[in-house]
Structures are given as C-alpha cells and as structure tokens.
Amino acid sequence: MSTSTGSTKLQVDLRRHLREEGVEPNLAHLICELAEASKYIVNAIRTGDLGVAGTSNLYGEEQLALDVLSDRILIKRLTHSGVVSNIVSEENDGVIPVSMDCAGKYAVAFDPLDGSSLVDVNLAVGTIVSIYDGCDLLQPGRNQAGALYILYGPRTTLVYSVGNGVHEFNMNHLMEYTLTRSHIKLKPSADLYSPGGLRNCYTEGTRLFVRDLEERGAKLRYSGGFVPDINQLLIKGQGIFFYPHLTNAANGKLRVLFELNPMAYLVEQAGGMASTGTERILDICPEEPHARAPVFIGCSEDVLRAQEFIAKHG
Ligand code: AFP
C-alpha cells in the first residue's frame, strides 16, 4: 500500500501555537477563552437581530443590540475562566470585579464589538482586547502582558501578541483558529493612509501632514472600523491610521484602554509606532477607564513625520 507523502502542511491551531511559544499557561488559557467567545459573537453577527437594545422581538424577548450581546458573551466567558481578576468593558461604566485574588490572574479591558454601527451596512467589525498581569487596568499600555483583536469580516481572523511577535490565525470551517501568518512586520514607510475625523476640524499640522501624504502618492483607505483599518496596515505590512486631535475635540475619539493601547501594543510589536502626535500611546497613564486620546499609528517614519508637522504647526 503506497503511503502518502503528501505535502499537506500540518495546521497549527491557536492552542498548540501558544504552547509551543511557551506562553504562561493562565495567559494561554485566557486567550483561548477569548477565541471560544468569538465563536458565539460570529454566530450572533451572522444570524442575530440587528435591532437596538431595549426593543423586544415578536416573542416578547428583549432584543439585544449586537454590541450589548457581544459584551455579555465576553463577560460571561471571562468571569468563568478562573484566570481573570477584573474586567473593564467599553459597554459598561467602571470596573467589573471578578476575583479579589490577583496572583496568577489577568485584568482585561475590551471593546466587545468595535464599529458595531457598521454591522447593518455589512462592513467588517471587531473585538479588541487588552491584557495586564494582576488586577490593575489603569496602567500605561507599555505594561500590557498581551493584546489581541478578532476581525469579523469575509473571514474571521484573530491577531495576537504577548511580546514575542504578532501572529494571525484564521477561523476554519470547524470554527478552529489555525495559524496563517507569524511574526508580522511593518515596513518603515507607508503608501496607504486612513484619515479619521472630519477634515474641516483638522489642525494646521494634520492638514499639512495629509497634504504631504497625498503629494507622496499615498492612497486613502478608510472603512470607519478601527479593527479592519488597523488589520489592513498590519497584513499589508504598511500604512498609517490617524484619528487626530480636532479643533472641536482635543482628545480625538478613540479610547485609550479598549482601542489605542491594544492596537499600539500590536503595531509596535510589528515594528511600527503609535503616538498621540506628541507622546507615545503606550506611555499614557490613563486616569479613568473611558479616557480618549488622539492617535497616529502605523509605519514608524510616517508617525515621526506626523509628529514633526504637529510640533511645527499644532
Ligand atoms: P462605533 O463603535 O461607534 O461604530 O465607532 C467606531 C470607531 O470607534 C472606530 O472603530 C473607528 O475607527 C472610528 O470610530 C470611526 O469614527 P468616524 O465614524 O468618526 O470616522
């Protein structure tokens, strides 16, 4: 009987990757629990009502908006994981205490469904997660133990880092995550840019930065979803996203804990950079869970150039 010497490459699933990378077992368990939770979120997006929270369906059941439902799925999963101390969610005020015992546990901040307003127009949305050792979540992003996002697009992908490179997994037909890219790296310079916020509220520095990008022939790619827009620059290996300080919003729009810190961690792990325009995102000490900050994130040379324009022109 001939034996197949087929060249089928053994698929590395998420759990095996975390084990082979030597990831601390409780952290590995936490990441796997988040991956499990994403399966229910995928189903909710694909099949759930798109109604708004507080309405009821024809059976009289309370209808949950997808971001509220996603939030509940994640809180339930993390609360029962046995490795979480505290939770902060973009959908809830304040900290959700899970365990008084911080030893060997992790504090988790997440945006359960970032870009949820895009679901009803069938654009990609995502879950963003930031992880710290112990109990405290109001720390600089530089102290994160890890970060990840799950992108619900034409394919469902999970991208994570715990400080040893950025790795992408694809959800297969069995809803298992298998490795598709490892040690993702950004080039120094971008020819894609994603400009958030209203142009007529840009400061002179940002306006001149955008003009410089356009004069260098950069292409505008902006979906309105932070997760797909960041995923695009990571997977293409180049790009810069910004949601800057605006004349009517000095701190821009995006939240430090749930959006900026995790994405800044991932992008800097990939060799890129993330700045408010004047300081590194990962150096910010957030004073409250819903603190916002301006952001320029992506290829390092472009972030540095943005900082120069802002230093000169505001
Ligand atoms: P929603 O979660 O309210 O849809 O906002 C999404 C988001 O926070 C982020 O995902 C986008 O990058 C940013 O807002 C888009 O903001 P604009 O709609 O102002 O461009």
Side-chain angles (χ1 to χ4, degrees), residues 31 35 97 129 148 168 180 262 264 295:
I31 292 169
V129 185
L148 66 87
E168 182 202 43
T180 39
V295 64

Side-chain angles (χ1 to χ4, degrees), residues 186-190 192 229-230 233-234 237-242 263-264 267-268 270-275 295-304:
L186 287 184
K187 298 182 188 109
S189 180
L192 290 176
D229 287 345
I230 295 296
L233 68 86
L234 277 172
Q238 56 91 6
I240 179 164
F241 173 101
F242 45 99
M263 291 310 201
V267 165
E268 297 215 353
M273 210 171 145
S275 164
V295 64
F296 295 80
I297 180 170
C299 295
S300 52
E301 287 177 8
D302 298 89
V303 174
L304 289 169

Side-chain angles (χ1 to χ4, degrees), residues 142-159:
R142 200 165 295 289
N143 296 349
Q144 290 172 95
L148 66 87
Y149 63 80
I150 295 128
L151 175 55
Y152 312 103
R155 293 182 292 112
T156 300
T157 55
L158 180 150
V159 172

Side-chain angles (χ1 to χ4, degrees), residues 67 90 111 113-118 128 195-198 222-229 241 243 253-255 259 292:
D67 45 6
E90 194 261 348
D111 186 346
L113 202 65
D114 183 82
S116 50
S117 59
L118 299 171
I128 313 173
L198 293 176
Y222 188 75
S223 79
F226 192 41
V227 179
D229 287 345
F241 173 101
Y243 206 108
K253 173 181 183 182
L254 301 181
R255 277 65 49 112
E259 292 164 316
R292 298 172 191 266

